[in-house]
Every structure is written in C-alpha cells, then in structure tokens.
Amino acid sequence: MKLCNDVIKEHFPDHQAVYAVHTNTDNLHIHCIVNSVGLNGKKIHQPKNFMKDVVQPCVNKFAEKYGFTPNDKWNRNKKNKSENTDESGSPNSSFIDNKIYLRQCIDRAIENSSTFDDFVRELKIMGLYVRVGKYLSLSTDKMEKPIRSHRLGSNYTIDSIIERIENRLSRFEVPNVNGKTYGKKIDDILSPDTVPLKKYKSMSPEEKKKVLKILRLGRNPWRENQQANWQLNKIANELNIEYRLSEYKKFYSADGTVSGTLEGISSVQETLSKAKKELRATLQKNKPVIDIYHRMKELERKAYLYEHMDRQEFRTEFVEYRSLSVRLERGYGKTIFDVASFIKECEDRIVYCDGQLKELSEEYKEVRKYALKHGYVLKTEYSLSDAIGLFDNQEAERSGFLESDMFYVSSKETDCIVRVEKSPGFDSRGNVIEEYSIVFLSKYGEELERVNNLNGKKELNSRLYELGDKYGFGRDCKRFSSLYMAKDYSGINSESSKKDFTENKSDDSPRANSAQGSSQDIKTYSFTQALNLNSVKKKEGNHLIMNRENPVYMGSLMTNGDYIRFTVLNRSGRIEEVFTLPSLGKRNADGYKILTAIREKYGFSDDLVSFEDQEEAFNYYRDKEEKEDRREEEASKKKGSVA
C-alpha cells in the first residue's frame, strides 16, 4: 500500500485516488483508480507510452525501496529502447517482421509437441514470453508489446494450434468435389452452309448476265444474298438454342421447366464453389508444411550438386535441405513426395472446379437469355439492368455473332416503359459492337430520355441505375416483346387508367366523335407494329400512321410485299422525306437502323393510331389540333383570371 501511495504522490499529487491490494491470486498486485481531473481543476494528459516510460520505472524504484523484486522486463525495455532503434529513432523490427518471426516459432513448437502444454514449454525454451488466457499472447525482448496469436492468421488461434498438434502426424485429406455438370459438348443440329455472292469481276459471263438482269429489275442481288444468309443463320441459331435448352432441361431441371433448369445450374454452381473454397482452405491450413516443401524445392538442385557432384560451395544449402527433410518427417510424418502429391491433387481439383464453373456460367447465361427473350419470370427480384441483359451475350459478341432485336421492359412501381433496340453498330472508337438504343417512354408513348452504349456497356449500366431510380423502376422488372403486355404488367392499361384517360382526353365535338369515337375504341400500335401491319398479313396496300396524342407528323406507308415506301407528311400534308425499307421478312440490321433514325428525327412514339382512309386520318389529325388549341386557350384564361 505504501509503494502505491508513493507512486501516486510522485506522479499524481493533486489527484484523488483509490487503490486496493489483490491477494486472492498467485500474483500479488494492486488495483488503482485515479481521478483524471485534479483538485486544481487540471486534467491529466498522458503522452504516448506514459505507463512504460514513466509509471513502470517508478514502480520498480519504490519496489527496491520496500524490498520487492523489481520487474526485470520493465528495466530491459528501458535499457534496450535505444538499442532497438536505428539512427532515425524508429524501431528496427517492424510489426510485420515480428509477426513472421512468431509464426515461425509457433510452427517449430508445434512440430515438437504432443500436447498444448508441450507447445507452451517449447515457446518458452525459444525465449518467448508467453501468456495464456482467453487469447495466447507472445512477445520477445525486442518487442514493445505482446502480439495475440490470432492476429497472426487463422492457423494461429488457440483452437487451430490445438487441432494442428493433434493432427500433425495424420495423413493428408483432400476434400471431394461433388456437383455433376452436363459435361459434354452439344453439337448443333443445323449448321447452314452459306455462300456469299461473288464480286462482279470474279463472276463468269453467265453469272454476270443473271446479276445484270436482277439489277435491271431494281433489286440488289448482293444485299438479297446477304439477307438470305442472315435469315438462315438466325433460324439455325434459334433451332440449335431450342435443342440445347431441351438437353439442359433433362439434365438440370427437376420439373422440366426453364426456371427449374436455372435453379439446377445455380445449385451445381453453389456446390462447386463451396468445394473450391474448401480446397483453398485445406491448402491454407497446411501452409507450414507447404512452405517447408517450397523451400526444399528451391534448395533441391544445389543439395544434389553437393551430394553427388562434390560441389563444396553448396554445402550450406545441402545442410539446410537435410534439416528441412528431417523436420518434415519427424514433425509431420511426411516426405517431400507426400507433400508434392497433396499439392498437385488440390490444385488439380481447383482447376477442375474453375473449368466446370466457367462451363456452368455459359450454360446459365444461355438459358437465362432464352427465358428473358420469351417472357419467363425467372426470379422475384429483377432490376432494370438485369431485365435488359446488357452482359448476357458477351461470348457471342466477341465471336462476331451480333443480334437485332426490340423489346420492352416495365415495372409495377412506375408508369414509365423502356424500349430496347439491339442492332449491329460501331462504338465511339470504331469497333463493331452490339449496339443498344434504350428509350424511356411515358405512358402516352412520349420519349423522355434516350441512352446508348457507344461509350461502353459499363457507362450505360451506371446510367441505367440512375434513370431506373429517377423513373421509379423497382426490383420487379420484366421483359416483354409487346408494348401492350408491358403496359398491362405495369398497370397502365388498367380500367382506372383508361377511365382517367378518357375523362381527361375526351373531345365532344361532332367531327371528333365521327372520326374517332371514344378513346377506348381506338386501337393503338407500337412504331414497329404500325409499320408492319400489311407486311405481317402479306398484303399490298396503303395506310397512314400518327401519334395518338400530340401528332406532329404523319407517316404514309405503301407496301408491295418486298418493300415498304415510307413517306413522312407534315401538318399541311406536304412531303418531308421519303424512305424505302425492306418488308418485315427481308429486313436486316440496316433496316432497323433506318427505322430508329426515322423515329428519332420525326418523333413517332410507341402509341400510334393507323388509318386506311386518308380523309379519316386528316380529320383525326385536325381534331387533335383543335383540341390542343382549346386547351391552350382555357389555360391562358385561367392564368388571366388568377392575375
């Protein structure tokens, strides 16, 4: 008590303190509490290492005065403080060096131990200070403070050390790899042998005559050949995908469905990933043995030269090699060949898992892409980016197989629809890519925003997340081939929406009623549907299309079976521009690009009306114009009355 009192008086003379001697343990000690705020109102400010540099030497000083044995470690720390620093005053041994040294000591101690007590004794023989409690703490004379063993890695916790001691002489156990995959290549059932048309200068005289005859008819034989090859490849690809999907269903699916196939593939992926993780953990668990093996492999050649070729300069390496061999045999009951076989087996199984996981990933992408294209609901949570599937076709894209497609994506949490158009194109650096043109549409078909992947899919992906949040797309997004199916899914076409629409958009003028009836009676089309009305029915004829709301331009379409003549008319009925397009069955990527350009330039939405009678179309057009004028007039009157 006097010792503690003297220490308090020397360093905390103006501070209140309470202390008590603890006598119920093998180690006699004192607990002391000091009020950090002194009687003079000043607070204690302890510099770094205050206890080590100030309090501990003071305790040793008064311990000698009262006949106690001073703590030699505290004195050594003070004495060696200058010895353990370099010229700049920083410690010679870093924390990393200390960790490496302690790991080596623990590994050596485990090799010579049968129990945990033997292990602790071995560490003390090596000169380490050991404290065992909830944690195992280790330190050396040159270390400023102890390091807990669990900070050295997962192999150095108390439980891991005990397990290593118990199993150090056991045989290696390599985890089994389960998870059965399809495991064989599915050959295509149809591989069309397409032949491009020769260049004109390479043709024979007879071939040139045939080509000239076709050209005089206003047709392009090279384009027709390209379109025919493209269509044939597309049909063959779809048939091959259907066949592969049927094989995957038989193998992976428990219920024979697409969703079941995806679940089956995911289950195998999870099993293989778990096996791969266990194999890596097994290698990590045996790292001390593997480190000895790798060091022996480094020394093997020089040790051989010393032993068999009498190369005396390699004696040191030979001695170390023999020492490691003895350690391996006595400490772990293994030979270098046992360790080599174990490492090879683990690495071979990891490579097998990687190969199977890559195969499963490709199969999953193919099935998922098929499911999205055909409107299957694959899971409860699907973001906008997931539903669009930006990264689903990467392998095919790298191989040069580019798609042309158009579909819609909607969510139940928004009244906005997304139209996605895919076609072969070029990015900002001139590389051939699968170009995505993604348009956000209002419930009336008006374009809100447009984005593309000309600057890369990653940038587009981040923009989709931003716009998805902006327009309220949730985690229930789904892909549709039809705009109306997309609207039905999001609830835009519900009865209440239609009722609100007719109340807000109705027009009671006689001419409007005669031309259009109620708004619910008007059938609307997407831009592509309206364009192909006659092509789908394989009939010739004329029809006009325009936006149902706010029409600015009209499109007059004349179909002759092979081609569509698209004439854009303004409000006065004058011709703005004329386009010639292939009909639906003969349209390739270039045709889809022309359609996209027309829509962007003249503002055609995906909420269009179609008329076969020109007078009826112009009546509808004028009625909408009058209706808009009345709205503007009413709005200006309201503003005037408010003013």
Side-chain angles (χ1 to χ4, degrees):
M1 296 286 284
K2 289 181 180 180
L3 185 153
C4 187
N5 194 49
D6 288 346
V7 172
I8 296 297
K9 282 183 178 180
E10 181 165 328
H11 292 291
F12 310 106
D14 298 323
H15 293 260
Q16 298 169 318
V18 177
Y19 41 90
V21 180
H22 207 168
T23 59
N24 62 345
T25 64
D26 295 335
N27 182 27
L28 182 68
H29 59 280
I30 296 175
H31 291 274
C32 179
I33 302 173
V34 179
N35 190 343
S36 62
V37 180
L39 299 173
N40 56 6
K42 295 182 179 180
K43 191 173 181 179
I44 297 174
H45 293 283
Q46 297 184 28
K48 186 179 179 182
N49 297 328
F50 176 76
M51 293 296 294
K52 184 182 292 185
D53 297 341
V54 178
V55 177
Q56 290 176 357
C58 182
V59 172
N60 269 353
K61 181 178 76 173
F62 287 109
E64 291 178 355
K65 176 182 176 181
Y66 290 106
F68 293 103
T69 303
N71 190 320
D72 289 337
K73 184 180 176 183
W74 291 350
N75 288 335
R76 282 198 302 271
N77 285 343
K78 185 177 181 182
K79 180 181 177 182
N80 295 333
K81 185 176 179 183
S82 60
E83 298 176 3
N84 295 336
T85 56
D86 55 23
E87 294 179 359
S88 64
S90 59
N92 286 330
S93 58
S94 68
F95 178 68
I96 300 298
D97 294 333
N98 289 332
K99 286 176 69 175
I100 293 171
Y101 176 72
L102 291 178
R103 285 195 197 105
Q104 292 172 347
C105 290
I106 290 174
D107 293 340
R108 293 297 296 269
I110 288 173
E111 293 170 19
N112 299 317
S113 305
S114 300
T115 64
F116 189 74
D117 292 337
D118 293 343
F119 166 75
V120 174
R121 185 168 57 253
E122 287 290 331
L123 290 176
K124 289 180 178 178
I125 291 171
M126 293 177 188
L128 297 181
Y129 294 96
V130 184
R131 189 172 65 208
V132 181
K134 182 179 179 182
Y135 302 102
L136 173 65
S137 298
L138 306 171
S139 63
T140 64
D141 290 341
K142 294 184 178 182
M143 290 170 56
E144 292 186 5
K145 59 182 179 180
I147 297 176
R148 290 177 175 174
S149 65
H150 69 84
R151 299 187 67 187
L152 303 176
S154 58
N155 275 350
Y156 298 93
T157 64
I158 291 179
D159 291 339
S160 295
I161 290 169
I162 293 172
E163 184 183 353
R164 286 174 61 187
I165 292 170
E166 291 175 350
N167 300 324
R168 68 186 180 88
L169 298 175
S170 302
R171 296 180 62 184
F172 286 124
E173 291 184 4
V174 181
N176 291 323
V177 177
N178 299 316
K180 192 177 180 183
T181 62
Y182 191 82
K184 58 183 179 180
K185 183 182 177 182
I186 303 175
D187 295 326
D188 292 341
I189 58 173
L190 180 60
S191 299
D193 187 14
T194 55
V195 180
L197 194 62
K198 295 178 185 178
K199 292 182 178 179
Y200 185 79
K201 63 181 180 180
S202 303
M203 291 181 178
S204 65
E206 291 183 3
E207 290 173 333
K208 287 181 179 180
K209 286 181 181 179
K210 290 181 180 179
V211 166
L212 290 171
K213 186 177 180 181
I214 295 172
L215 287 169
R216 290 191 190 99
L217 295 173
R219 292 157 53 192
N220 187 326
W222 286 276
R223 177 170 290 180
E224 289 180 359
N225 175 263
Q226 181 188 18
Q227 290 171 349
N229 289 342
W230 180 78
Q231 290 285 359
L232 189 58
N233 282 322
K234 184 178 180 183
I235 293 168
N237 186 48
E238 289 176 356
L239 285 172
N240 292 329
I241 289 173
E242 289 282 355
Y243 175 65
R244 286 196 294 273
L245 186 68
S246 67
E247 292 295 307
Y248 294 148
K249 282 181 184 178
K250 292 175 189 175
F251 188 82
Y252 292 110
S253 178
D255 54 7
T257 63
V258 173
S259 298
T261 305
L262 290 171
E263 289 172 8
I265 294 174
S266 298
S267 177
V268 179
Q269 284 177 318
E270 188 176 343
T271 302
L272 286 169
S273 297
K274 186 177 179 182
K276 182 180 172 182
K277 189 176 180 180
E278 288 176 357
L279 287 164
R280 293 195 181 282
T282 301
L283 287 172
Q284 180 63 31
K285 185 178 177 181
N286 290 279
K287 188 175 183 299
V289 183
I290 294 172
D291 287 344
I292 294 174
Y293 166 79
H294 285 314
R295 180 57 183 162
M296 289 178 72
K297 291 295 290 181
E298 291 174 8
L299 300 169
E300 189 174 39
R301 183 171 177 271
K302 293 181 179 179
Y304 176 86
L305 290 172
Y306 171 81
E307 186 176 13
H308 298 283
M309 307 294 291
D310 197 25
R311 296 283 293 274
Q312 293 298 318
E313 66 267 30
F314 297 134
R315 175 177 172 76
T316 305
E317 286 81 359
F318 173 76
V319 172
E320 185 181 354
Y321 182 88
R322 292 298 297 271
S323 172
L324 292 171
S325 180
V326 171
R327 278 183 62 190
L328 201 59
E329 188 171 349
R330 292 181 181 176
Y332 298 100
K334 313 285 190 305
T335 66
I336 189 172
F337 304 108
D338 295 333
V339 183
S341 177
F342 165 71
I343 294 172
K344 186 176 186 307
E345 184 66 26
C346 287
E347 289 179 346
D348 285 349
R349 295 189 184 190
I350 289 172
V351 169
Y352 171 80
C353 288
D354 286 335
Q356 294 298 298
L357 286 169
K358 185 177 179 180
E359 217 173 277
L360 287 166
S361 177
E362 295 302 322
E363 291 172 358
Y364 186 91
K365 286 178 182 177
E366 186 172 24
V367 177
R368 179 177 175 272
K369 182 181 173 184
Y370 175 90
L372 287 172
K373 187 174 182 179
H374 291 79
Y376 290 94
V377 179
L378 303 182
K379 58 181 182 179
T380 55
E381 291 192 353
Y382 244 96
S383 69
L384 176 60
S385 184
D386 291 335
I388 291 173
L390 279 181
F391 303 99
D392 288 349
N393 199 36
Q394 289 191 104
E395 284 297 322
E397 190 174 349
R398 280 194 287 268
S399 302
F401 295 102
L402 307 179
E403 285 191 342
S404 293
D405 195 8
M406 189 181 80
F407 54 87
Y408 300 87
V409 176
S410 63
S411 169
K412 290 183 178 179
E413 299 180 15
T414 180
D415 58 358
C416 178
I417 302 294
V418 170
R419 184 182 71 235
V420 182
E421 297 170 3
K422 290 198 302 181
S423 61
F426 298 91
D427 63 12
S428 55
R429 292 175 293 183
N431 299 320
V432 178
I433 60 167
E434 194 169 69
E435 184 180 333
Y436 283 77
S437 178
I438 299 172
V439 183
F440 287 77
L441 304 169
S442 71
K443 64 181 179 181
Y444 303 118
E446 300 163 336
E447 183 175 320
L448 302 174
E449 293 200 50
R450 179 184 291 268
V451 291
N452 58 49
N453 64 325
L454 296 184
N455 292 321
K457 287 186 177 181
K458 288 185 178 179
E459 184 176 322
L460 174 59
N461 197 40
S462 61
R463 285 285 292 141
L464 287 176
Y465 276 107
E466 293 172 11
L467 295 173
D469 290 338
K470 178 179 178 180
Y471 293 109
F473 282 83
R475 301 287 302 177
D476 58 350
C477 295
K478 188 178 174 185
R479 181 191 293 197
F480 299 92
S481 58
S482 162
L483 174 64
Y484 305 100
M485 291 172 66
K487 285 186 174 182
D488 285 338
Y489 178 73
S490 63
I492 294 175
N493 283 345
S494 63
E495 290 301 319
S496 59
S497 298
K498 288 182 180 180
K499 183 178 178 182
D500 293 340
F501 181 83
T502 53
E503 287 176 357
N504 295 328
K505 307 286 183 179
S506 62
D507 189 344
D508 296 330
S509 67
R511 186 167 58 178
N513 287 331
S514 63
Q516 68 186 52
S518 67
S519 61
Q520 292 187 25
D521 294 335
I522 299 174
K523 185 172 182 180
T524 58
Y525 304 90
S526 70
F527 181 71
T528 307
Q529 287 173 327
L531 188 75
N532 298 322
L533 281 176
N534 286 336
S535 294
V536 170
K537 299 173 184 177
K538 295 183 179 179
K539 71 174 187 176
E540 298 183 357
N542 294 355
H543 66 285
L544 289 91
I545 60 172
M546 69 183 78
N547 291 347
R548 183 171 71 166
E549 298 299 321
N550 304 320
V552 178
Y553 294 98
M554 283 190 293
S556 173
L557 294 104
M558 183 184 74
T559 307
N560 69 355
D562 292 328
Y563 291 93
I564 298 173
R565 184 187 173 100
F566 191 120
T567 306
V568 181
L569 307 172
N570 62 18
R571 290 176 182 270
S572 306
R574 293 179 180 175
I575 297 174
E576 291 285 333
E577 202 166 352
V578 179
F579 301 90
T580 301
L581 302 166
S583 61
L584 180 62
K586 299 185 178 182
R587 195 172 305 147
N588 59 8
D590 293 334
Y592 284 106
K593 281 191 174 181
I594 295 172
L595 291 180
T596 303
I598 294 172
R599 179 159 33 194
E600 289 179 1
K601 185 174 182 179
Y602 294 104
F604 287 102
S605 71
D606 271 325
D607 195 24
L608 301 172
V609 290
S610 173
F611 301 92
E612 291 187 0
D613 183 70
Q614 186 172 348
E615 184 179 352
E616 186 180 354
F618 275 98
N619 285 340
Y620 180 89
Y621 191 84
R622 294 189 192 98
D623 288 335
K624 287 293 180 182
E625 200 172 29
E626 289 178 7
K627 184 178 176 183
E628 190 62 32
D629 292 341
R630 284 199 300 274
R631 279 185 186 169
E632 290 177 2
E633 190 177 331
E634 289 173 4
S636 61
K637 285 181 180 178
K638 285 181 181 179
K639 286 182 181 178
S641 61
V642 170

